[in-house]
């Protein structure tokens, strides 16, 4: 674990599209405190192994792969902060990035807020990235940071949908038929991923103001009446939710190993 007060060598780095530029420093908050019940019984989702390495470590590496990112705050399961700290110590991570671990809360929203509370003052851009999206490519991370630097208060990576989506009146019991209420035009819909990127002050205001239950942070910024923009997401940024997603994630890693010539 490195000391957050250490000045990041990336401050002096130039030439990368999303490299550190004067006046903007980027931190990432990774909520990793969920149980992951849809994945079946076992360890908290973020600590499950993919190709022998915990999903969380893949997610941390994916964020630290961006030269613009100089701090990663991991929000650990409330009783698992010590375990997460030793995991980070045990795995090779880029020298230029600092790491902090804080215990999480009851909901994703609360976990993100606890991560924000732990941020040192000198970060203007904050990304929030689900530990459950371990394979997001660095180009997607950089595209999000770039759009925040260009002035957007909130940025989400997203993809068009393959399926048509129906809005229903949800049944009281699972498995019962559900009446369709509406069919939004598919061409106008996007499936949203992470990392989502924010002007730090905007995200903090959103977390202080919005108390409704939301499934993503950008939704809270929308509730402030601000414009959230979408940049292209990536199919490898999918969320590991169900057992089949673990199979897909292992397949993506195997393809990467093949392409890297290992
Ligand atoms: O449950 P869901 O898949 O939406 O969780 C998304 C992310 O939020 C996961 O990385 C999970 O670990 C995290 N989370 C959290 N604290 C909670 C619940 C979920 O950090 N209480």
């Amino acid at each position: 674990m490195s000391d957050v007060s250490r000045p990041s060598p990336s401050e002096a780095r130039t030439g990368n599209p999303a490299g550190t530029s004067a006046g903007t420093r980027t931190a990432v908050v990774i909520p990793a405190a969920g149980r992951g019940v849809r994945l079946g019984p076992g360890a908290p989702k973020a600590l499950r192994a993919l190709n022998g390495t915990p999903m969380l470590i893949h997610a941390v590496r994916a964020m630290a792969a961006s030269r613009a990112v100089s701090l990663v705050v991991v929000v650990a399961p409330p009783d698992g902060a010590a375990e997460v700290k030793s995991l980070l110590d045990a795995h090779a991570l880029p020298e230029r990035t600092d790491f902090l671990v804080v215990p999480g809360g009851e909901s994703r929203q609360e976990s993100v807020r606890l991560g924000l509370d732990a941020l040192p003052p000198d970060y203007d851009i904050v990304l929030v990235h689900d530990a459950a999206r371990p394979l997001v490519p660095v180009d997607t991370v950089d595209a999000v940071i770039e759009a925040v630097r260009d002035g957007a208060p909130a940025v989400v990576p997203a993809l068009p949908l393959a399926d048509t989506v129906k809005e229903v009146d949800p049944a009281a019991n699972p498995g019962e038929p559900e009446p369709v209420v509406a069919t939004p035009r598919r061409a106008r819909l996007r499936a949203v991923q992470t990392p989502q990127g924010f002007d730090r002050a905007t995200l903090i205001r959103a977390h202080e103001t919005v108390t409704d239950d939301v499934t993503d942070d950008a939704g809270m910024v929308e509730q402030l009446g601000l414009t959230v923009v979408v940049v292209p997401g990536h199919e490898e940024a999918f969320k590991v939710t169900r057992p089949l997603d673990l199979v897909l994630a292992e397949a993506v890693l195997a393809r990467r190993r093949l392409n890297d010539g290992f």
Side-chain angles (χ1 to χ4, degrees):
M1 188 82 27
S2 49
D3 173 3
V4 288
S5 61
R6 174 167 64 81
S8 164
S10 65
E11 276 175 306
R13 202 172 274 112
T14 55
N16 182 290
T20 306
S21 65
T24 61
R25 295 188 84 204
T26 302
V28 183
V29 173
I30 301 188
R35 296 296 318 172
V37 282
R38 288 169 291 182
L39 210 50
K45 177 158 71 172
L47 305 184
R48 308 263 183 120
L50 280 183
N51 194 26
T53 303
M55 204 174 329
L56 173 63
I57 297 295
H58 287 283
V60 167
R61 284 186 176 145
M63 296 299 107
S66 169
R67 301 175 93 77
V69 170
S70 44
L71 172 67
V72 175
V73 179
V74 176
V75 187
D79 54 355
E83 188 184 350
V84 166
K85 274 196 184 100
S86 37
L87 265 184
L88 290 177
D89 287 338
H91 289 84
L93 298 166
E95 270 288 307
R96 64 167 181 269
T97 315
D98 290 315
F99 300 94
L100 276 177
V101 179
V102 297
E106 280 296 306
S107 65
R108 181 186 182 283
Q109 214 164 342
E110 196 187 340
S111 293
V112 172
R113 192 181 50 72
L114 291 165
L116 290 175
D117 287 349
L119 279 183
D122 51 343
Y123 291 88
D124 317 305
I125 296 177
V126 179
L127 267 47
V128 181
H129 180 62
D130 288 336
R133 297 181 190 271
L135 303 180
V136 57
V138 68
D139 287 355
T140 307
V141 182
D142 283 342
V144 169
I145 296 170
E146 195 100 324
V148 181
R149 282 192 184 157
D150 285 349
V155 178
V156 298
L159 290 177
L161 296 181
D163 295 322
T164 293
V165 172
K166 302 280 185 199
E167 183 183 346
V168 299
D169 194 3
N173 301 307
E176 279 177 8
E178 300 175 315
V180 170
V181 175
T183 305
R185 270 175 48 211
R186 190 173 64 187
R188 289 179 60 89
L189 298 177
R190 299 288 179 268
V192 169
Q193 305 176 325
T194 71
Q196 302 192 344
F198 303 90
D199 158 60
R200 178 197 184 144
T202 303
L203 183 59
I204 288 176
R205 187 154 66 89
H207 273 265
E208 282 168 357
T209 316
V210 179
T211 51
D212 302 0
D213 207 16
V214 292
T215 51
D216 78 336
D217 299 273
M220 303 171 82
V221 174
E222 284 165 59
Q223 288 194 42
L224 295 182
L226 297 172
T227 302
V228 174
V229 298
V230 165
V231 296
H234 196 284
E235 60 179 3
E236 291 181 4
F238 64 92
K239 182 155 76 169
V240 176
T241 307
R242 298 185 180 84
L244 195 59
D245 299 323
L246 288 171
V247 179
L248 181 59
E250 299 264 4
V252 170
L253 287 170
R255 187 175 67 181
R256 285 186 187 174
R257 276 199 306 280
L258 212 64
N259 291 343
D260 291 349
F262 285 109

